[in-house]
Amino acid sequence: MIKTIFTDFRTALFAGIIIVATIIIAFSFKYLSEKYIKKLALTKHIDPTSYVFAKKVVTAIIYLIGISFALVQIPEMKTVGHSLLAGAGILSLVAGLASQQALSNIMSGFLIVMFKPFKINDRITFNQTYTGIVEEINLRQVVLRDFENNRVIVPNSVISTQVIVNANLIETKVCKMIEIGIGYDSDIGKALKIMEEEIIKHPLHIDNRTPEDIQNNVPEVVSRVVALGNSSVTLKAWAYSDTSSNGFVMYCDLLRSIKERFDKENIEIPYSYQNVVIKKTE
């Protein structure tokens, strides 16, 4: 009986040592890999998306192998441990325990990392509703940080089936369309010229013309009459900025500066109003 107790104690001890060693190895790998990834991102400006995703996969494999070796030390769990260590056993166990949705999220995560419709630090909009900066891509989900500093958690299988607008896929440059309506009695040419002047002098505006456009005397800012409404003539001008955030600031500034110039130059901006007549009853 003493021998049996000693054997059980030794088995439990070995299994415990393996589990502790597994945790130490996993945490060490996580720490070193995060340090290495940050160094690559800062010094060589390498996209960290693939490295972060690979780090999570390798960490999960370390835990799986460590737990498998710990189970092998226990006679009653030796079969399960061997099954986990075998490649076919791992696949069958995952297929049996994981749900279809979980497997879909894992596969979608691999496809996102492989084809890169977006990557970490990209600004994306999906489902025409949610906009944010990609903070993390892991085995299950994508984490976005929106403009209110909230975190939007999206399963990989969901975001991979959505139409995504990526502001950083090729370049960060953005075009903002300044659309304003003026009265029919206002000077259209003068109004268009004011819009062009205000856009050109804004510090966040950039010249989007190619060398060929400049050589062919294409104007730096294009403005057009785009509609004749019931009570106004709609004017539109196209302004470019280097990033989406700068483009938004430029757009807000231009609405104000153009409105102030229109007021000085007697360019009317029509607006709806109602006359209220109050009748006195005797």
Side-chain angles (χ1 to χ4, degrees):
M1 181 175 179
I2 296 176
K3 183 178 180 181
T4 303
I5 295 174
F6 177 76
T7 303
D8 293 342
F9 174 76
R10 186 176 62 179
T11 300
L13 180 62
F14 284 164
I17 291 174
I18 292 173
I19 291 176
V20 172
T22 300
I23 295 174
I24 294 174
I25 293 172
F27 273 92
S28 300
F29 171 78
K30 183 178 179 182
Y31 172 78
L32 294 175
S33 60
E34 286 179 352
K35 190 175 181 180
Y36 177 71
I37 292 169
K38 288 180 181 179
K39 183 179 179 181
L40 285 179
L42 291 175
T43 58
K44 298 185 179 181
H45 305 287
I46 293 176
D47 173 31
T49 305
S50 301
Y51 293 94
V52 173
F53 192 82
K55 178 198 70 175
K56 294 181 180 296
V57 173
V58 173
T59 302
I61 292 174
I62 291 173
Y63 278 115
L64 182 62
I65 293 176
I67 293 172
S68 301
F69 275 111
L71 292 176
V72 168
Q73 305 304 315
I74 303 173
E76 293 80 2
M77 303 297 293
K78 186 172 292 187
T79 303
V80 177
H82 284 302
S83 297
L84 286 174
L85 289 173
I90 293 175
L91 292 178
S92 62
L93 186 64
V94 170
L97 297 179
S99 66
Q100 183 178 359
Q101 187 65 38
L103 289 174
S104 177
N105 285 330
I106 293 173
M107 287 304 302
S108 297
F110 277 108
L111 293 176
I112 289 172
V113 173
M114 184 181 301
F115 293 103
K116 294 185 178 180
F118 56 85
K119 56 185 182 296
I120 292 175
N121 295 326
D122 278 2
R123 176 179 175 270
I124 66 172
T125 300
F126 75 97
N127 200 26
Q128 299 180 347
T129 305
Y130 301 101
T131 300
I133 307 299
V134 179
E135 279 195 336
E136 182 181 357
I137 304 172
N138 57 40
L139 290 174
R140 181 189 179 276
Q141 64 208 13
V142 174
V143 181
L144 303 179
R145 183 183 75 251
D146 66 12
F147 298 120
E148 295 180 350
N149 208 37
N150 299 315
R151 267 56 180 182
V152 182
I153 311 299
V154 190
N156 292 334
S157 60
V158 173
I159 199 168
S160 64
T161 59
Q162 299 291 326
V163 175
I164 298 172
V165 179
N166 189 341
N168 305 102
L169 185 59
I170 303 299
E171 58 182 355
T172 60
K173 184 168 54 180
V174 64
C175 176
K176 305 299 289 187
M177 292 175 285
I178 315 299
E179 188 171 306
I180 299 177
I182 64 172
Y184 274 90
D185 294 332
S186 300
D187 189 330
I188 296 177
K190 187 177 183 180
L192 290 172
K193 186 176 180 181
I194 289 173
M195 294 177 69
E196 294 170 2
E197 290 174 351
E198 292 300 316
I199 292 173
I200 290 174
K201 73 180 185 181
H202 195 282
L204 296 179
H205 165 72
I206 62 174
D207 189 349
N208 189 52
R209 295 177 297 176
T210 63
E212 292 78 11
D213 292 336
I214 296 175
Q215 186 176 0
N216 294 330
N217 296 319
V218 174
E220 183 175 347
V221 176
V222 177
S223 59
R224 296 282 188 271
V225 176
V226 295
L228 300 176
N230 294 330
S231 59
S232 65
V233 179
T234 304
L235 310 181
K236 182 181 287 188
W238 289 260
Y240 286 86
S241 189
D242 55 349
T243 64
S244 297
S245 57
N246 285 341
F248 178 75
V249 173
M250 178 186 67
Y251 175 78
C252 296
D253 291 345
L254 288 174
L255 290 180
R256 176 176 178 177
S257 63
I258 292 172
K259 169 64 169 59
E260 292 174 347
R261 280 288 304 278
F262 279 4
D263 291 342
K264 290 180 181 179
E265 303 291 342
N266 296 319
I267 304 293
E268 178 193 6
I269 299 179
Y271 58 91
S272 301
Y273 62 92
Q274 292 179 339
N275 289 328
V276 179
V277 179
I278 301 177
K279 292 185 178 181
K280 293 183 179 181
T281 58
E282 298 180 358

